[in-house]
Amino acid sequence: MSEGLGAWQLIASGDATLFAIVRLSIAVSLSAVAIAVVVGLPLGAFLALTRFPGRSAVVVILNGFMGLPPVVVGLTVYLLLSRSGPLGQYGLLFTPTAMIIAQAVLVLPIIAALTRQTIEDLWCEYREELTAMGVGPLGQVATLLWDSRFSLVTMLLAGFGRAAAEVGTVMIVGGNIDGFTRTMTTSIALETSKGNLSLAMGLGLVLIFLIILINAAAWSVRLWSEQRAG
């Protein structure tokens, strides 16, 4: 009971430590989703609109990667960024940049796979019209992405929710360094083990609020798009 009261007091008082952790978590997750969008949207659209040998295998692998174990992603990025790894010379391990890279790898398959499915469904519906109008490949991609923008926003929100709630991946590549790479999820795990339940519960409440807010935004976007479509 006292820990719960302490958690609310930390939030209400604008505790500097708590909100510094929240700001870092949001910044890392937003950056990771932005990278995943830049790569995932074109990749998903390309797979939806083109046919080539081995495409089915690529689609199956991409769909399978949606369920990648976070600790495996963290381990892979760790090996790439470690001193003996191919990217070790850049000194990115145990930095926010490493956490962004790891979360982007985790979210990318979700964005790409869902984009491919959405664009492919729309392509089946509008293929004859776009072909008859003489729209080129880039125009087709732009048209389909714009037409599916509400569905894509929902996907992006889902990707952000996945990134924000991640703990294993960022713990491995970020090191959970106080004031530098400590996020909400890693802090909750650490503070709970230390017995600092007020801070852990405070961060947990903020994280739950963010997840609910994200899902409410996704639901609102979907409802609004359905109302506009009639």
Side-chain angles (χ1 to χ4, degrees):
M1 191 70 178
S2 60
E3 288 82 3
L5 181 60
W8 285 111
Q9 288 176 340
L10 287 175
I11 296 172
S13 64
D15 182 76
T17 299
L18 186 148
F19 282 97
I21 294 170
V22 172
R23 283 194 296 271
L24 176 63
S25 300
I26 294 175
V28 167
S29 296
L30 284 177
S31 300
V33 172
I35 294 172
V37 167
V38 170
V39 178
L41 288 184
L43 175 60
F46 172 78
L47 290 174
L49 300 179
T50 58
R51 296 294 182 271
F52 54 88
R55 176 184 177 276
S56 297
V58 173
V59 171
V60 169
I61 293 173
L62 184 61
N63 289 338
F65 277 8
M66 292 177 66
L68 275 175
V71 290
V72 174
V73 174
L75 175 60
T76 302
V77 176
Y78 178 93
L79 293 175
L80 290 173
L81 300 181
S82 64
R83 289 187 177 182
S84 58
L87 302 177
Q89 59 181 318
Y90 299 107
L92 298 177
L93 195 61
F94 304 134
T95 67
T97 301
M99 297 192 298
I100 291 171
I101 293 171
Q103 286 194 5
V105 172
L106 195 63
V107 174
L108 174 59
I110 298 174
I111 301 295
L114 295 179
T115 299
R116 181 205 63 80
Q117 186 61 59
T118 301
I119 298 299
E120 191 166 318
D121 291 343
L122 284 177
W123 177 239
C124 293
E125 183 177 351
Y126 296 134
R127 175 168 46 194
E128 294 182 0
E129 295 178 17
L130 292 175
T131 303
M133 293 170 62
V135 179
L138 291 179
Q140 292 172 357
V141 171
T143 300
L144 294 174
L145 286 175
W146 175 254
D147 197 66
S148 61
R149 61 192 181 279
F150 298 116
S151 297
L152 295 178
V153 167
T154 303
M155 297 174 200
L156 300 186
L157 292 171
F160 177 79
R162 172 72 186 274
E166 180 47 44
V167 56
T169 303
V170 294
M171 181 98 57
I172 292 173
V173 301
N176 201 20
I177 303 171
D178 187 20
F180 188 54
T181 60
R182 189 162 292 175
T183 64
M184 285 187 286
T185 51
T186 59
S187 295
I188 291 170
L190 176 64
E191 298 302 331
T192 300
S193 66
K194 290 166 55 178
N196 188 2
L197 298 182
S198 294
L199 180 56
M201 290 180 65
L203 290 167
L205 289 171
V206 174
L207 182 58
I208 290 172
F209 172 76
L210 286 175
I211 297 301
I212 292 175
L213 185 64
I214 291 166
N215 282 276
W219 180 83
S220 298
V221 169
R222 184 178 184 87
L223 182 62
W224 183 64
S225 65
E226 290 175 352
Q227 289 176 345
R228 287 198 59 183

